[in-house]
Tab-separated table of all heavy atoms in Angstrom:
chain	number	residue	atom	x	y	z
A	6	SER	N	-29.041	11.404	-15.427
A	6	SER	CA	-29.335	12.114	-16.685
A	6	SER	C	-28.063	12.371	-17.469
A	6	SER	O	-28.047	12.242	-18.708
A	6	SER	CB	-30.049	13.431	-16.375
A	6	SER	OG	-31.297	13.211	-15.758
A	44	LEU	N	-5.070	3.755	-27.136
A	44	LEU	CA	-6.489	4.107	-27.251
A	44	LEU	C	-7.073	4.425	-25.879
A	44	LEU	O	-7.821	5.407	-25.724
A	44	LEU	CB	-7.260	2.962	-27.905
A	44	LEU	CG	-8.779	3.120	-27.972
A	44	LEU	CD1	-9.182	4.401	-28.695
A	44	LEU	CD2	-9.416	1.898	-28.632
A	49	LEU	N	-9.172	8.392	-21.962
A	49	LEU	CA	-9.097	9.020	-20.636
A	49	LEU	C	-8.861	10.520	-20.748
A	49	LEU	O	-9.458	11.316	-20.012
A	49	LEU	CB	-7.996	8.368	-19.806
A	49	LEU	CG	-8.251	6.929	-19.341
A	49	LEU	CD1	-7.011	6.365	-18.667
A	49	LEU	CD2	-9.446	6.857	-18.396
A	62	ILE	N	7.484	-0.480	-18.342
A	62	ILE	CA	8.299	-1.406	-17.558
A	62	ILE	C	8.882	-2.415	-18.539
A	62	ILE	O	8.160	-2.950	-19.388
A	62	ILE	CB	7.449	-2.129	-16.493
A	62	ILE	CG1	6.924	-1.138	-15.461
A	62	ILE	CG2	8.245	-3.234	-15.811
A	62	ILE	CD1	7.981	-0.502	-14.602
A	66	PRO	N	3.607	-4.827	-21.276
A	66	PRO	CA	2.818	-3.846	-22.018
A	66	PRO	C	2.709	-2.563	-21.196
A	66	PRO	O	2.833	-2.593	-19.970
A	66	PRO	CB	1.446	-4.520	-22.175
A	66	PRO	CG	1.658	-5.948	-21.835
A	66	PRO	CD	2.817	-6.010	-20.896
A	86	ALA	N	-8.629	-0.861	-13.915
A	86	ALA	CA	-9.192	-1.833	-14.859
A	86	ALA	C	-8.021	-2.376	-15.675
A	86	ALA	O	-6.877	-1.960	-15.497
A	86	ALA	CB	-10.256	-1.197	-15.756
A	101	SER	N	-20.485	-14.385	-33.656
A	101	SER	CA	-19.943	-13.304	-34.475
A	101	SER	C	-18.452	-13.207	-34.175
A	101	SER	O	-17.987	-13.672	-33.126
A	101	SER	CB	-20.653	-11.979	-34.166
A	101	SER	OG	-20.641	-11.694	-32.780
A	112	ARG	N	-27.295	-6.763	-25.271
A	112	ARG	CA	-25.931	-7.161	-24.947
A	112	ARG	C	-24.989	-6.833	-26.103
A	112	ARG	O	-25.349	-6.957	-27.281
A	112	ARG	CB	-25.838	-8.653	-24.622
A	112	ARG	CG	-26.773	-9.091	-23.496
A	112	ARG	CD	-26.485	-10.512	-23.053
A	112	ARG	NE	-25.258	-10.574	-22.262
A	112	ARG	CZ	-25.237	-10.574	-20.930
A	112	ARG	NH1	-26.370	-10.520	-20.234
A	112	ARG	NH2	-24.095	-10.628	-20.270
A	150	GLU	N	-1.543	-6.722	-18.538
A	150	GLU	CA	-1.094	-8.106	-18.383
A	150	GLU	C	-1.790	-8.806	-17.217
A	150	GLU	O	-1.267	-9.776	-16.673
A	150	GLU	CB	0.427	-8.170	-18.220
A	150	GLU	CG	0.995	-7.332	-17.102
A	150	GLU	CD	2.504	-7.490	-16.943
A	150	GLU	OE1	3.143	-8.166	-17.772
A	150	GLU	OE2	3.035	-6.935	-15.963
A	190	THR	N	-17.686	-7.653	-4.381
A	190	THR	CA	-16.890	-8.856	-4.153
A	190	THR	C	-15.993	-8.628	-2.948
A	190	THR	O	-15.234	-7.657	-2.900
A	190	THR	CB	-16.049	-9.189	-5.393
A	190	THR	OG1	-16.935	-9.467	-6.487
A	190	THR	CG2	-15.160	-10.391	-5.149
A	202	GLU	N	6.983	-31.898	-15.935
A	202	GLU	CA	7.425	-32.755	-17.036
A	202	GLU	C	7.847	-34.105	-16.464
A	202	GLU	O	8.561	-34.181	-15.454
A	202	GLU	CB	8.597	-32.133	-17.785
A	202	GLU	CG	9.064	-32.979	-18.970
A	202	GLU	CD	10.238	-32.373	-19.716
A	202	GLU	OE1	10.643	-31.253	-19.364
A	202	GLU	OE2	10.745	-33.033	-20.652
A	215	PHE	N	9.336	-52.841	-27.489
A	215	PHE	CA	9.634	-52.584	-26.075
A	215	PHE	C	8.398	-52.425	-25.193
A	215	PHE	O	8.521	-52.375	-23.965
A	215	PHE	CB	10.507	-51.329	-25.951
A	215	PHE	CG	11.864	-51.485	-26.588
A	215	PHE	CD1	12.119	-50.973	-27.854
A	215	PHE	CD2	12.871	-52.157	-25.921
A	215	PHE	CE1	13.361	-51.121	-28.434
A	215	PHE	CE2	14.120	-52.309	-26.504
A	215	PHE	CZ	14.380	-51.792	-27.758
A	248	GLY	N	-11.037	-21.745	3.339
A	248	GLY	CA	-11.432	-20.488	3.945
A	248	GLY	C	-12.724	-20.577	4.722
A	248	GLY	O	-13.357	-21.638	4.815
A	251	PRO	N	-18.989	-18.999	3.311
A	251	PRO	CA	-19.580	-17.799	2.700
A	251	PRO	C	-20.930	-17.460	3.329
A	251	PRO	O	-21.580	-18.298	3.954
A	251	PRO	CB	-19.761	-18.206	1.229
A	251	PRO	CG	-18.924	-19.427	1.042
A	251	PRO	CD	-18.886	-20.110	2.378
A	258	ALA	N	-28.057	-25.893	-9.665
A	258	ALA	CA	-28.671	-25.648	-10.968
A	258	ALA	C	-28.054	-24.429	-11.646
A	258	ALA	O	-27.825	-24.431	-12.864
A	258	ALA	CB	-30.181	-25.466	-10.815
A	266	VAL	N	-22.615	-27.382	-17.858
A	266	VAL	CA	-22.269	-28.741	-17.453
A	266	VAL	C	-23.314	-29.711	-17.986
A	266	VAL	O	-24.522	-29.491	-17.852
A	266	VAL	CB	-22.192	-28.839	-15.909
A	266	VAL	CG1	-21.848	-30.261	-15.482
A	266	VAL	CG2	-21.164	-27.854	-15.376
A	276	GLY	N	-19.234	-29.982	0.348
A	276	GLY	CA	-19.611	-28.706	0.937
A	276	GLY	C	-20.551	-27.942	0.030
A	276	GLY	O	-20.912	-28.389	-1.066
A	285	SER	N	-12.619	-22.792	-1.174
A	285	SER	CA	-11.896	-24.060	-1.186
A	285	SER	C	-10.864	-24.042	-2.305
A	285	SER	O	-11.066	-23.389	-3.337
A	285	SER	CB	-12.848	-25.232	-1.402
A	285	SER	OG	-13.753	-25.349	-0.330
A	317	LEU	N	-6.227	-20.917	-4.809
A	317	LEU	CA	-5.983	-20.959	-3.375
A	317	LEU	C	-7.084	-20.239	-2.606
A	317	LEU	O	-7.478	-19.135	-2.974
A	317	LEU	CB	-4.638	-20.309	-3.049
A	317	LEU	CG	-3.416	-20.836	-3.808
A	317	LEU	CD1	-2.179	-20.042	-3.416
A	317	LEU	CD2	-3.224	-22.320	-3.535
A	361	GLY	N	-15.856	1.251	6.336
A	361	GLY	CA	-15.189	2.477	5.930
A	361	GLY	C	-16.063	3.329	5.041
A	361	GLY	O	-17.083	2.870	4.502
A	382	VAL	N	-20.330	-10.960	-2.089
A	382	VAL	CA	-20.023	-12.301	-2.587
A	382	VAL	C	-18.516	-12.508	-2.633
A	382	VAL	O	-17.720	-11.572	-2.536
A	382	VAL	CB	-20.615	-12.514	-3.993
A	382	VAL	CG1	-22.127	-12.326	-3.980
A	382	VAL	CG2	-19.968	-11.590	-5.019
A	399	PRO	N	-1.637	-0.114	3.174
A	399	PRO	CA	-2.481	-0.801	4.156
A	399	PRO	C	-3.627	0.043	4.695
A	399	PRO	O	-4.599	-0.509	5.217
A	399	PRO	CB	-1.481	-1.172	5.265
A	399	PRO	CG	-0.320	-0.238	5.084
A	399	PRO	CD	-0.242	0.014	3.615
A	414	ALA	N	-20.145	-14.901	-19.970
A	414	ALA	CA	-19.269	-15.880	-20.623
A	414	ALA	C	-17.837	-15.367	-20.759
A	414	ALA	O	-17.209	-15.532	-21.805
A	414	ALA	CB	-19.821	-16.281	-21.997
A	418	PRO	N	-16.331	-18.435	-25.505
A	418	PRO	CA	-16.910	-17.892	-26.737
A	418	PRO	C	-18.167	-17.083	-26.451
A	418	PRO	O	-18.872	-17.329	-25.467
A	418	PRO	CB	-17.225	-19.150	-27.562
A	418	PRO	CG	-17.343	-20.243	-26.561
A	418	PRO	CD	-16.416	-19.904	-25.445
A	443	ALA	N	-18.532	14.217	-0.645
A	443	ALA	CA	-19.349	15.055	0.227
A	443	ALA	C	-19.147	14.745	1.702
A	443	ALA	O	-19.621	15.467	2.578
A	443	ALA	CB	-20.835	14.871	-0.124
Side-chain angles (χ1 to χ4, degrees):
S6 297
L44 174 57
L49 290 174
I62 295 294
S101 53
R112 304 189 74 97
E150 55 177 6
T190 297
E202 182 180 356
F215 296 99
V266 179
S285 296
L317 307 177
V382 301

